[in-house]
Amino acid sequence: DPKGGKRKAREGGRIEGKKRKERQRSTMASASSGAASSGDSSSSSASRYLYGLVWFGAYLYGAIAFVSTAYQIRLQAIEEYGPVIHEFDPYFNYRATEYLYEHGAEKFFKWFDYMVWYPLGRPVGTTIYPGMQFTAVWIKNHIFGDRMSLNDVCCYMPAWFGAIASFLIGCVAYECSLPQNTGASVASVLNDALKGRYTEYKPQKGSGGTIMGLSSPALECGVFALGIMAVVPAHLMRSVGGGYDNESVAISAMSLTFLLWIRSLRTSDPLSWIWGAAAGVAYFYMVAAWGGYVFVLNLVGVHAAVLVLLGRFSTKVYASYSLFYAV
């Protein structure tokens, strides 16, 4: 029947039109829900970024406050008595620095001082650790010039390096507290050692996440360690303004050596062993500044040996220690 065929065609067209409208509505609804979810995710990421920025600002403020406090505490003697070298060894160190500044390195290493070790005198160039003297002369020549006298540079250097050492200890605490470096406890290591087996190393994921690319809670550990180092009495007495002695510079060099050595063993970085060479350079500076350098070398060697005993030996440890020892 022609009329029936036309009727069926019209009904089919109406049904197809309804289906087309339903598909359009579904597409619009999914698009709107997708836009809403995208908006929610973008707002969530923005809020996380602002949250991290606020916390990073708080940590940065705390670190700056601790470093500033470390510096101000060490300036008390200078603020009370002026820029004066005090004690016996610091005054000899100042005389040696003054001779180096006036006569140069070649004459300094050949200098025979008749004013000390009377009546024999002293061959200063072969009986001194000249790292501190060279550092003071370099700071005088290349940073301050005529704006600060050599005496003032020598008086303020302990306070400068005391603040630097505090910051470096904070960095050491941060590196040691990273999740990939905290996979075992002392109790588990001792328990496994008593049972005659190696400790299974399982890097912790850490619940704090990251703040502006820095790991948390390792960041908090670093800031608080910085604050503790800023007021430790044993460090204070060796880095007070006017106490121009070898330890004031050597502690900073020693802290830098430990930091670079630990950094060379970072688990998550396959090329971290390159930092072993930098640790060797820092150790060279420490040797030039203080006679206690043997303690640093022994500690690094003992740490490498303990890693072997704990089953943590790897190509990275071998490469890092080899570079450190070679440099």
Side-chain angles (χ1 to χ4, degrees):
D1 183 9
K3 291 184 178 180
K6 291 181 179 179
R7 191 180 305 112
K8 290 181 179 179
R10 285 195 297 270
E11 290 178 357
R14 284 197 299 271
I15 293 173
E16 187 64 29
K18 288 181 179 179
K19 290 182 178 179
R20 198 164 41 243
K21 289 181 179 179
E22 288 177 357
R23 285 196 296 269
Q24 290 177 352
R25 292 194 195 99
S26 175
T27 303
M28 293 176 63
S30 62
S32 62
S33 63
S37 63
S38 176
D40 292 340
S41 63
S42 62
S43 64
S44 176
S45 63
S47 63
R48 286 197 300 269
Y49 177 78
L50 290 175
Y51 176 81
L53 190 63
V54 170
W55 274 108
F56 179 77
Y59 294 140
L60 183 62
Y61 176 81
I64 293 174
F66 283 141
V67 172
S68 177
T69 301
Y71 181 62
Q72 293 297 327
I73 291 174
R74 288 160 173 79
L75 288 183
Q76 181 179 356
I78 294 178
E79 292 175 351
E80 187 170 352
Y81 302 107
V84 178
I85 300 291
H86 54 81
E87 302 178 27
F88 298 103
D89 287 348
Y91 188 75
F92 167 77
N93 292 328
Y94 172 69
R95 284 188 59 246
T97 305
E98 193 175 38
Y99 189 93
L100 173 64
Y101 177 70
E102 294 176 354
H103 298 89
E106 184 178 357
K107 290 187 177 181
F108 175 78
F109 286 115
K110 297 178 180 178
W111 176 33
F112 194 92
D113 188 7
Y114 292 97
M115 296 181 66
V116 296
W117 292 1
Y118 184 82
L120 298 177
R122 175 181 181 180
V124 177
T126 57
T127 59
I128 194 175
Y129 295 94
M132 182 176 62
Q133 285 79 9
F134 276 87
T135 302
V137 172
W138 186 89
I139 292 174
K140 164 65 176 173
N141 289 334
H142 296 89
I143 296 180
F144 291 108
D146 296 332
R147 296 190 303 273
M148 180 177 283
S149 66
L150 183 64
N151 176 82
D152 291 353
V153 170
C154 295
C155 286
Y156 281 92
M157 265 186 60
W160 295 337
F161 279 86
I164 293 173
S166 300
F167 176 77
L168 291 174
I169 290 298
C171 294
V172 170
Y174 172 82
E175 189 68 31
C176 293
S177 304
L178 289 174
Q180 57 266 36
N181 292 335
T182 55
S185 64
V186 176
S188 64
V189 171
L190 293 177
N191 183 51
D192 290 340
L194 292 175
K195 294 180 178 180
R197 65 187 183 189
Y198 288 129
T199 302
E200 184 178 357
Y201 180 67
K202 297 179 179 179
Q204 297 179 359
K205 296 182 179 180
S207 58
T210 59
I211 297 176
M212 300 299 291
L214 298 174
S215 178
S216 175
L219 187 59
E220 292 90 325
C221 295
V223 172
F224 280 101
L226 191 163
I228 293 172
M229 186 65 176
V231 295
V232 167
H235 184 218
L236 273 172
M237 65 184 293
R238 292 299 183 182
S239 57
V240 66
Y244 183 61
D245 212 346
N246 297 80
E247 293 89 343
S248 60
V249 174
I251 291 176
S252 298
M254 179 171 56
S255 303
L256 181 61
T257 303
F258 289 144
L259 172 62
L260 294 174
W261 166 248
I262 297 170
R263 176 64 180 85
S264 70
L265 303 178
R266 182 182 289 185
T267 307
S268 59
D269 186 359
L271 296 177
S272 63
W273 53 270
I274 298 175
W275 290 94
V281 174
Y283 178 69
F284 175 81
Y285 178 62
M286 196 267 175
V287 170
W290 189 35
Y293 61 87
V294 66
F295 299 112
V296 178
L297 181 63
N298 290 343
L299 282 174
V300 173
V302 168
H303 182 245
V306 170
L307 290 178
V308 175
L309 295 176
L310 296 179
R312 298 279 303 279
F313 179 77
S314 63
T315 305
K316 180 180 295 185
V317 176
Y318 176 76
S320 299
Y321 189 77
S322 298
L323 279 175
F324 170 78
Y325 195 83
V327 173

